[in-house]
């Protein structure tokens, strides 16, 4: 693999003991965890279908099945969560980004009609909204998926109550007194949110500090360098979120 698509040796050393199947792990020992992780990264970096994985990675069915099982069991999320313990919580930011859902991603909705799989109809077609939080160094600290047409406040309801940041910087889409501002201030957090133009009495906010909000846009730019995240091909929200957690962990490793 080229350096752009493979893990560096120092990156691998930091995560190898966090994966199932390592040398002293109880149960079956994985034959080659590194090759498997790099296969998953290769797929999401290039955006190719699983069945088009190069032969050097082995049987694509095995790779995909193993990736799905690790997503279901929370392996990728646990690795990501361990890195977030080193977050710089002086201040944090939250925002969302929309990704288009490829027609091939709709199969799970047909099999499970009661589950939307975080795919919804928004302007432009089927899409998924990725809600994310980052720390003061634009490292990711949390994710939540919703259908594309949902409000940003739904992500805030999930991610902001547990934030460790001392100051929260978000755009005016989160200017909601009851759902966002009051709970954060009650928790002792400083809030930097531009007021909506519809407010009768505009609320003061630190304009200078608000300029740091570009950091979360920088993070989304790095996340979408992975083509199978910039466009969603995964049928299940579970697998798509698992891939996001893995890529976010790699971003931490950089």
């Amino acid at each position: 693999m080229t350096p752009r698509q493979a893990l560096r040796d120092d990156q691998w050393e930091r995560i190898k003991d966090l994966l199932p199947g390592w040398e002293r792990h109880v149960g079956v020992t994985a034959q080659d965890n590194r090759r498997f992780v790099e296969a998953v990264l290769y797929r999401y970096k290039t955006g190719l279908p699983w069945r088009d994985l190069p032969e050097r990675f082995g049987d694509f069915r095995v790779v995909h099945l193993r990736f799905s099982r690790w997503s279901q069991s929370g392996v990728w999320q646990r690795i990501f969560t361990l890195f977030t313990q080193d977050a710089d919580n002086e201040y944090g930011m939250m925002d969302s980004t929309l990704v288009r859902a490829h027609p091939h991603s709709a199969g799970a909705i047909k099999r499970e009609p009661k589950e939307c799989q975080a795919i919804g109809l928004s302007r432009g077609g089927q899409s998924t909204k990725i809600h994310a939080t980052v720390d003061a160094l634009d490292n990711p600290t949390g994710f939540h998926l919703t259908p594309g047409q949902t409000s940003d406040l739904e992500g805030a309801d999930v991610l902001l109550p547990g934030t460790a940041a001392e100051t929260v910087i978000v755009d005016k889409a989160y200017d909601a007194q009851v759902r966002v501002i009051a709970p954060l201030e009650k928790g002792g957090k400083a809030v930097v949110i531009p007021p909506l133009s519809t407010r009768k009495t505009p609320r003061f906010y630190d304009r200078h500090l608000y300029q740091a909000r570009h950091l979360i846009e920088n993070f989304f730019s790095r996340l979408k360098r992975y083509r199978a995240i910039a466009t969603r091909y995964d049928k299940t929200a579970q697998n798509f979120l698992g891939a996001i957690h893995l890529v976010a962990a790699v971003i931490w490793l950089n």
Side-chain angles (χ1 to χ4, degrees):
M1 292 181 66
T2 64
R4 292 177 60 248
Q5 298 161 344
L7 292 171
R8 301 191 308 267
D9 289 342
D10 63 298
Q11 292 175 323
W12 174 245
E13 288 297 321
R14 291 185 63 186
I15 68 168
K16 67 177 185 179
D17 292 338
L18 306 176
L19 302 174
W22 59 294
E23 187 176 353
R24 294 185 299 277
H25 192 269
V26 177
V28 179
T29 300
Q31 292 183 353
D32 192 343
N33 270 346
R34 183 168 185 173
R35 183 180 67 172
F36 163 65
V37 172
E38 290 184 345
V40 175
L41 288 173
Y42 183 91
R43 189 266 172 167
Y44 281 92
K45 185 73 173 181
T46 60
L48 51 70
W50 287 104
R51 65 177 60 251
D52 291 336
L53 274 177
E55 292 183 0
R56 64 179 179 272
F57 293 123
D59 189 334
F60 76 89
R61 301 176 189 84
V62 175
V63 176
H64 178 255
L65 178 60
R66 189 173 171 193
F67 167 73
S68 299
R69 286 175 174 172
W70 284 23
S71 297
Q72 182 178 12
S73 61
V75 172
W76 310 119
Q77 184 175 7
R78 286 196 297 272
I79 295 171
F80 166 71
T81 302
L82 285 173
F83 287 121
T84 63
Q85 295 176 5
D86 296 327
D88 183 341
N89 292 315
E90 179 182 358
Y91 54 86
M93 288 140 282
M94 179 178 180
D95 207 347
S96 66
T97 187
L98 207 63
V99 296
R100 295 302 173 197
H102 192 274
H104 291 173
S105 67
I109 298 178
K110 296 176 182 178
R111 290 197 302 269
E112 301 290 343
K114 294 183 179 180
E115 298 182 18
C116 69
Q117 298 296 343
I119 296 178
L121 187 62
S122 64
R123 184 179 300 176
Q126 300 284 355
S127 60
T128 293
K129 184 173 283 190
I130 303 173
H131 305 264
T133 54
V134 300
D135 69 0
L137 299 177
D138 80 352
N139 291 312
T141 55
F143 297 99
H144 180 62
L145 300 182
T146 61
Q149 77 276 11
T150 56
S151 166
D152 287 352
L153 293 177
E154 292 199 23
D157 292 340
V158 175
L159 295 176
L160 288 183
T163 183
E166 299 171 7
T167 299
V168 177
I169 306 172
V170 292
D171 65 23
K172 62 176 62 178
Y174 299 90
D175 184 18
Q177 186 67 34
V178 175
R179 295 177 69 175
V180 177
I181 298 173
L184 288 173
E185 290 180 340
K186 185 177 180 180
K189 314 290 184 183
V191 180
V192 180
I193 307 178
L196 288 168
S197 59
T198 55
R199 275 185 174 267
K200 294 182 178 179
T201 305
R203 189 187 63 261
F204 170 79
Y205 72 102
D206 189 329
R207 294 175 180 270
H208 177 73
L209 188 55
Y210 182 72
Q211 293 177 3
R213 201 192 70 84
H214 75 278
L215 292 174
I216 193 166
E217 303 296 347
N218 295 350
F219 164 70
F220 282 136
S221 176
R222 287 188 290 165
L223 183 67
K224 288 187 174 182
R225 291 174 188 172
Y226 288 78
R227 300 183 69 179
I229 290 179
T231 300
R232 174 177 167 176
Y233 299 98
D234 292 289
K235 296 181 185 298
T236 66
Q238 173 185 278
N239 280 10
F240 189 53
L241 185 58
I244 292 172
H245 282 135
L246 172 60
V247 171
V250 172
I251 290 175
W252 269 98
L253 290 171
N254 291 330

